[in-house]
Amino acid sequence: MRLNDAALSALPASIRRPSYDRRSVTAGIVHLGIGAFHRAHQAVYTDDILRHDPGWGIVGASLRSAGTRDALGPQDGLYTLAVRSGEGEALRVVGSIGQVLVAPEDPQALLARMSEPRVRIVSLTVTEKGYCHDPATGELNEDHPDIVRDLANPSAPASAPGFIVEALRRRREAGIAPFTVLTCDNLPSNGRVAKKVIDRFAHLRDPDLGAYVEAEALCPSTMVDRIVPATTESDRAEIAAATGLSDAWPVVTEPFTQWVIEDRFAVGRPTWDEAGAEFVADVEPYEHMKLRLLNGSHSLMAYLGYLAGFETIAETIADPGFARLVGGFMDEEVTPTLAVPPGADVTAYKRALLERFGNLALKHRTWQIAMDGSQKLPQRLLATVRDRLKAGAPIDRLALGVAAWMRYVTGVDEAGHEIDVRDPMAARLREITRSVGPDADRLAPALLRVREVFGSDLPADPHFTGPVTAALKRLYADGAKRAVEASL
Ligand code: CS2
């Protein structure tokens, strides 16, 4: 039997399910980018508050593929969340998503939803590349093919900025207050990045619309945290066996979850604080701490771990050399650059991170995290590098991480096998690495010239280029495993 509203009563009693009447829920949020992360994070906080606050149901939308809609449509939007750790597994059926739309199939249906007066928040998890910005500067990339396309045809958009600006325009025309734009992606000052690209896009469409959007659209920043590996076939089978119901797309995650939100909303917000979210005046210190410690370590482990032959983060961190590297990276290179959020205990935070990385119940693949490095490196490693260089401090472990990314994007692993490099810049990176060949002295400077990643300052600083080139040489000469063992 397939999971859906009618089948809920067949679930074993131990499995939590919506405690509210789903028919009384109305849509208050449109979420762009309805992937696994959203379904393990914001949708769960929302599920927790719908009993008291039924006006905040979620309409999800995919900006690309129909997969999630095809899976959740026949399930009335329901899906299973499996929370896994060494202590076992807790299952729960989440009911906050009422409908899933597929934007490319029918952009007008999505715009109509976004223009409804009762929709007061448009939230996003479209990944770093979904903002169509220049990763090094944070400004809208006006040459981005989706932006060029949406500017030429603004009433049937394809990009997140295109949808948001067109919906805001329609609301304005109909005399409806703008929604709050709530970004939940792993970018520093993510609200500011969203605001910049939306304002700029609106200005490029029409200066009057630009002035309106600039003055009226609020984009609070958020820090989101929960580790969510891609769902596998064996997850599907195990979860179906435990629930007795088949679920085409369950989501697997860890017990830890955190959501820190800048409290700046245009027309109301859900009481997510009752579900554990924190509303604060300034999210930036939380974002820096999380992006540089968690995501920075993740990217460090993803490239080096993949090259060293480790499939998952848990396997990587179980290796003593890697554990030492990550510990040193966090304590000595990242922590001194952080402004600690009020009341936070960084030592306890780092200890918890090491435990989370070691969660053997999660198969979080190094390959998954290695994706889209051109979009991730600037905020995960290079922002820390800049702070360290300003302070005249060493960057050896950071440089090893950057060099491992370079080695990875060559697309050939240490055994000579192909690496499936997924990155919006993959073709260009491959072209550079092919034309230069496996020679660190030539490859490092060639890749450092990719301005969208490194800006114009880093390639000109020998305190950066020196350690990166030296680390890349070590990776070629000794391989990742030995380079990690030999590192501090
Ligand atoms: C990971 C993140 O895939 C990645 O790049 O670093 O998705 C990470 O698991 C989350 O940000 C954790 O909150």
Side-chain angles (χ1 to χ4, degrees):
M1 200 180 359
R2 184 85 176 255
L3 172 66
N4 59 29
D5 277 328
L8 279 177
S9 55
L11 277 176
S14 60
I15 297 175
R16 188 167 158 189
R17 70 213 66 192
S19 62
Y20 47 89
D21 179 359
R22 293 189 81 216
R23 286 163 310 187
S24 68
V25 171
T26 52
I29 300 170
V30 169
H31 183 82
L32 308 181
I34 190 87
F37 180 73
H38 171 71
R39 294 198 280 133
H41 194 270
Q42 304 102 60
V44 179
Y45 285 86
T46 305
D47 193 54
D48 280 340
I49 57 96
L50 281 176
R51 192 186 166 91
H52 305 293
D53 227 356
W56 292 106
I58 301 171
V59 173
S62 314
L63 296 186
R64 293 169 190 277
S65 61
T68 305
R69 191 271 321 272
D70 294 349
L72 299 198
Q75 298 177 186
D76 301 318
L78 294 170
Y79 60 94
T80 320
L81 183 75
V83 179
R84 292 184 182 160
S85 69
E87 261 112 74
E89 178 178 73
L91 294 168
R92 153 174 193 181
V93 170
V94 178
S96 52
I97 298 175
Q99 187 189 13
V100 181
L101 302 172
V102 182
E105 279 178 12
D106 190 354
Q108 299 312 319
L110 175 55
L111 286 166
R113 277 301 211 169
M114 294 170 79
S115 309
E116 286 176 9
R118 63 185 181 170
V119 167
R120 286 148 289 157
I121 293 176
V122 169
S123 53
L124 301 92
T125 48
V126 291
T127 78
E128 297 85 350
K129 60 181 179 281
Y131 293 81
C132 307
H133 69 304
D134 178 319
T137 64
E139 304 287 340
L140 181 71
N141 173 4
E142 296 177 21
D143 300 324
H144 193 293
D146 289 352
I147 296 302
V148 172
R149 184 195 167 286
D150 285 0
L151 284 171
N153 190 10
S155 58
S159 70
F163 271 104
I164 290 170
V165 170
E166 175 59 9
L168 288 171
R169 189 195 66 75
R170 291 186 188 191
R171 291 174 80 101
R172 179 194 191 195
E173 204 173 84
I176 304 165
F179 44 69
T180 302
V181 178
L182 190 67
T183 155
C184 299
D185 281 295
N186 284 316
L187 290 163
S189 311
N190 54 7
R192 256 192 274 161
V193 174
K195 179 76 179 145
K196 262 200 216 173
V197 300
I198 291 163
D199 287 356
R200 182 70 191 145
F201 184 87
H203 272 286
L204 290 171
R205 269 192 68 173
D206 156 19
D208 178 55
L209 178 62
Y212 171 77
V213 168
E214 197 174 332
E216 300 295 330
L218 293 186
C219 305
S221 284
T222 64
M223 183 271 253
V224 292
D225 190 5
R226 195 165 210 187
I227 292 174
V228 187
T231 307
T232 65
E233 278 314 315
S234 68
D235 294 330
R236 284 190 178 83
E238 284 165 31
I239 291 165
T243 61
L245 298 174
S246 80
D247 178 344
W249 209 330
V251 180
V252 175
T253 189
E254 61 173 343
F256 184 92
T257 178
Q258 191 178 12
W259 196 8
V260 186
I261 309 167
E262 186 185 353
D263 203 357
R264 212 157 49 83
F265 286 76
V267 272
R269 59 152 171 88
T271 50
W272 282 316
D273 37 340
E274 283 176 16
E278 300 156 71
F279 286 99
V280 302
D282 182 12
V283 175
E284 212 162 283
Y286 296 90
E287 284 181 321
H288 277 170
M289 182 173 81
K290 191 255 169 176
L291 274 169
R292 293 185 182 192
L293 288 172
L294 189 161
N295 299 105
S297 301
H298 253 176
S299 290
L300 181 73
M301 286 188 278
Y303 300 114
L304 287 165
Y306 184 97
L307 293 169
F310 292 120
E311 163 121 26
T312 67
I313 290 295
E315 282 169 31
T316 309
I317 199 73
D319 178 275
F322 273 90
R324 202 162 33 83
L325 174 72
V326 173
F329 167 82
M330 293 205 282
D331 291 343
E332 284 169 44
E333 297 193 10
V334 180
T335 305
T337 72
L338 298 175
V340 177
D345 177 346
V346 188
T347 308
Y349 184 78
K350 288 187 285 192
R351 203 177 317 120
L353 279 184
L354 290 172
E355 244 172 68
R356 293 170 64 196
F357 294 151
N359 185 346
L360 286 165
L362 292 185
K363 304 271 173 273
H364 200 191
R365 295 177 67 196
T366 47
W367 176 81
Q368 184 184 344
I369 299 166
M371 274 187 222
D372 293 347
S374 68
Q375 317 291 302
K376 291 174 175 172
L377 245 50
Q379 59 275 11
R380 295 183 176 204
L381 299 179
L382 303 177
T384 314
V385 164
R386 288 192 173 89
D387 284 353
R388 301 279 297 165
L389 293 175
K390 238 182 269 158
I395 55 158
D396 298 301
R397 301 172 185 92
L398 286 152
L400 184 58
V402 174
W405 170 76
M406 293 178 161
R407 179 67 189 79
Y408 182 89
V409 299
T410 64
V412 180
D413 74 11
E414 292 179 358
H417 299 130
E418 185 176 328
I419 304 175
D420 179 6
V421 178
R422 302 276 176 94
D423 193 296
M425 294 179 73
R428 188 162 145 214
L429 298 170
R430 191 73 185 259
E431 182 48 41
I432 295 173
T433 61
R434 280 231 177 102
S435 64
V436 167
D439 170 0
D441 281 317
R442 297 179 62 219
L443 183 56
L447 285 169
L448 287 169
R449 275 194 292 276
V450 179
R451 193 205 45 78
E452 295 90 327
V453 177
F454 295 101
S456 45
D457 56 337
L458 292 177
D461 188 340
H463 296 292
F464 177 64
T465 57
V468 170
T469 310
L472 188 56
K473 264 191 199 157
R474 277 204 307 283
L475 288 175
Y476 272 117
D478 303 334
K481 188 111 194 341
R482 284 179 52 206
V484 167
E485 271 156 21
S487 71
L488 293 174

